[in-house]
Amino acid sequence: MVVGGGAAGLSAALFLGRAGRSTLVFDGGKSRIFSVEEVWRAPPSGHARAALCDPAHREHLGFDGMPTAAFMAQARAEAVRYGADIRSEHVYSIVPRKDGLFWVEATGSRVAARTIVLATGVIDDLPPLSGLPEAWGRDVRVCPCFDGYEVRGKRFVVFGLPERLAHMASWVWMWSRDVTIVSRHSFNEADAERLRLLDINIISDEITGLVHRDGKLVGVSTASGGGEIACDATWIAAEIRAASGLAASLCEVDEIGLARTDKDGRTSRSGVFAVGNADNAVAHLAHASAAGTAVGPVVTMYLLEQILAERRNTKAA
Ligand SMILES: Cc1cc2nc3c(=O)[nH]c(=O)nc-3n(C[C@H](O)[C@H](O)[C@H](O)COP(=O)(O)OP(=O)(O)OC[C@H]3O[C@@H](n4cnc5c(N)ncnc54)[C@H](O)[C@@H]3O)c2cc1C
């Protein structure tokens, strides 16, 4: 059984279906990749739709520019073609049984499963900033790997978690030489030197909102005297955490609740596997798909060993 119908979960389901395994996928929400799509579908008031970035995900070889919705629909259709039963249900509890199986409780189903593949992803904890939810994934960007190219050479403002600011600002600097951090944080000597060497500006202030004119981001407003800092793109160093507490209830997890796994996706609990962002916060779509594919043979081999053990017991009886 797979929990999570993003790239990682669907990829695992595709493999397991093609291996003739009965595969149930519970997907109780939306993949993180839909962040961009949602903004496009419901632009903040006053925004011209044409001014928004298109809802395509990028940075995925072979799928460049493909609309997110089309990509996910195709992935789901492929998993279904090989027998995956995808249910739009949230899994709220998985309890190991004495016989080695698991009771899985979802919003509309209670099923027994031999194996669990956690592909539940991560969520981004955004600060309560005016206009931020609407601008998330478009004017407030999360990683230059995904869309730094689209704003290369523009004026960047970086804000967010103090401990990640120096890293984020110097990372996005690779895409533009015009980078300003807005934060009241006092950087340690090592970080301050790094920022100095790259000529990254630091403005000691607090961002209160985003400023748009004619549907275009033109700056950020700040707390000090209602000031405004001009920019073309903002980057947020945001907190990321596991989207689900299921891993923490079943196996060893790290400090943000992601399953600790070996290189093949095995967790500390026999029969439970984790893939994609569920065990690797920085996995992109390509990594997530690859992890789902890689865990498929491992789960299949685990099931084979179970069948062999059962047959051994039956023959011995
Ligand atoms: C703004 C933005 C832009 C991005 N752009 C790109 C890009 O251009 N290229 C790229 O490669 N990557 C991009 N990414 C990263 C991409 O979103 C992730 O790499 C990818 O979504 C990880 O796939 P996943 O399957 O591990 O997790 P997800 O896609 O997040 O899927 C997890 C699924 O599990 C479901 N789920 C969670 N808990 C439960 C539960 N208890 N029960 C049932 N279902 C559950 C969720 O609802 C979700 O559908 C971007 C991310 C963001 C935020």
Side-chain angles (χ1 to χ4, degrees):
M1 202 219 46
V2 179
V3 192
L10 292 174
S11 170
L14 176 77
F15 184 98
L16 293 169
R18 286 175 58 86
R21 302 301 98 207
S22 152
T23 308
L24 184 56
V25 180
F26 285 114
D27 189 38
K30 285 207 167 120
S31 160
R32 188 168 174 245
I33 193 64
F34 276 110
S35 311
V36 180
E37 184 103 344
E38 302 229 307
V39 171
W40 186 82
R41 277 212 197 108
S45 55
H47 284 59
R49 182 161 289 228
L52 302 177
C53 70
D54 68 62
H57 67 269
R58 305 178 178 87
E59 205 272 308
H60 191 182
L61 186 66
F63 299 93
D64 182 48
M66 184 175 186
T68 301
F71 170 74
M72 290 307 296
Q74 167 87 11
R76 280 173 81 98
E78 287 174 10
V80 168
R81 187 183 307 148
Y82 294 102
D85 174 4
I86 304 179
R87 298 187 193 169
S88 300
E89 294 181 33
H90 181 81
V91 175
Y92 56 88
S93 138
I94 301 178
V95 179
R97 303 192 331 185
K98 286 207 174 81
D99 60 1
L101 303 194
F102 299 88
W103 275 128
V104 179
E105 306 264 5
T107 29
S109 320
R110 182 177 198 239
V111 296
R114 279 187 183 277
T115 57
I116 306 290
V117 177
L118 296 172
T120 41
V122 290
I123 50 173
D124 306 82
D125 266 337
L126 302 178
L129 196 65
S130 122
L132 197 149
E134 297 87 346
W136 169 236
R138 181 176 53 89
D139 291 332
V140 179
R141 294 160 196 266
V142 64
C143 175
C145 306
F146 303 147
D147 50 11
Y149 181 86
E150 281 64 35
V151 286
R152 64 196 184 282
K154 305 270 191 191
R155 295 165 301 173
F156 291 173
V157 157
V158 179
F159 68 107
L161 283 183
E163 62 274 20
R164 291 191 45 220
L165 280 176
H167 169 78
M168 176 65 110
S170 49
W171 180 222
V172 301
W173 181 89
M174 295 299 283
W175 280 261
S176 170
R177 298 296 175 267
D178 189 340
V179 181
T180 300
I181 292 176
V182 182
S183 170
R184 296 213 160 102
H185 178 59
S186 303
F187 292 94
N188 63 34
E189 193 37 51
D191 283 346
E193 190 220 14
R194 185 184 178 90
L195 299 172
R196 258 196 321 272
L197 288 172
L198 298 175
D199 294 323
I200 291 174
N201 309 310
I202 304 169
I203 295 180
S204 180
D205 208 333
E206 192 185 325
I207 292 185
T208 51
L210 305 171
V211 184
H212 289 92
R213 286 198 193 98
D214 300 325
K216 193 172 169 298
L217 178 76
V218 292
V220 291
S221 56
T222 60
S224 298
E228 192 176 307
I229 299 165
C231 68
D232 308 299
T234 70
W235 299 94
I236 184 166
E239 187 118 48
I240 289 177
R241 62 182 161 83
S244 156
L246 291 173
S249 74
L250 285 167
C251 58
E252 284 174 21
V253 293
D254 67 10
E255 55 290 345
I256 59 166
L258 302 185
R260 290 194 196 278
T261 52
D262 68 8
K263 66 174 180 41
D264 294 320
R266 291 183 193 87
T267 70
S268 58
R269 182 178 292 278
S270 177
V272 178
F273 305 82
V275 288
N277 282 161
D279 76 330
N280 175 7
V282 296
H284 300 187
L285 284 169
H287 303 113
S289 303
T293 305
V295 89
V298 183
V299 174
T300 307
M301 189 54 79
Y302 174 88
L303 291 167
L304 174 62
E305 290 303 329
Q306 284 203 327
I307 293 166
L308 287 169
E310 278 164 17
R311 291 197 170 198
R312 230 171 261 129
N313 288 342
T314 312
K315 294 222 162 146

